[in-house]
Amino acid sequence: QVPVVESGGGLVQAGGSLRLSCTTPRLTFAVYAMGWFRQAPGKEREGVACISRSGARTGYAGSVKGRFIISRDNAKNTLSLQMNSLKPEDTAMYYCAADHRVPDGCSLSWLQYDDWGQGTQVTVSS
């Protein structure tokens, strides 16, 4: 069983919205900083958004700031990414990842994260 499981991807028209969710069936969710990453064909994996263990701190890539919102519910062991005003360039495989090393805050560097899901595809049509 994979440590992290994503859901909620799909096909949407430009300007639309999608909500991604992530759970950690094998991990103690509340002790992990969490992040969303994406990778388009032929491109490097990039950090999209991250959130600290408590949820008090968040970080966003410049390309999604103001459009995406990351949140977590530690009582329900759930991480979410609300994606609004989607653009064709947001098309990618989206991954959820968990970081147990950072004591506070969060990182947008994928090198910081140890546990990954298998990804969920997001496709935005023009």
Side-chain angles (χ1 to χ4, degrees):
Q1 189 177 18
V2 295
V4 179
V5 180
E6 306 95 338
S7 63
L11 173 64
V12 64
Q13 288 190 331
S17 297
L18 277 176
R19 186 177 183 88
L20 304 183
S21 295
C22 169
T23 60
T24 58
R26 287 175 48 199
L27 307 174
T28 304
F29 182 75
V31 304
Y32 287 80
M34 300 295 294
W36 285 101
F37 297 81
R38 67 187 181 187
Q39 189 166 19
K43 294 189 177 181
E44 292 187 355
R45 185 169 297 189
E46 64 170 335
V48 174
C50 68
I51 189 167
S52 62
R53 296 175 180 179
S54 68
R57 295 188 180 188
T58 58
Y60 294 92
S63 59
V64 308
K65 204 167 189 179
R67 299 189 296 123
F68 291 10
I69 300 171
I70 190 171
S71 61
R72 67 188 297 162
D73 185 336
N74 286 348
K76 296 182 179 179
N77 293 347
T78 301
L79 176 75
S80 297
L81 183 69
Q82 178 66 41
M83 304 186 295
N84 301 318
S85 302
L86 283 161
K87 304 175 181 180
E89 51 263 43
D90 293 318
T91 295
M93 185 72 78
Y94 282 71
Y95 299 90
C96 176
D99 172 16
H100 67 85
R101 289 176 283 178
V102 64
D104 195 13
C106 63
S107 173
L108 288 175
S109 170
W110 65 269
L111 295 171
Q112 181 72 28
Y113 292 76
D114 301 301
D115 294 291
W116 292 81
Q118 294 182 324
T120 185
Q121 178 68 38
V122 172
T123 302
V124 184
S125 62
S126 58

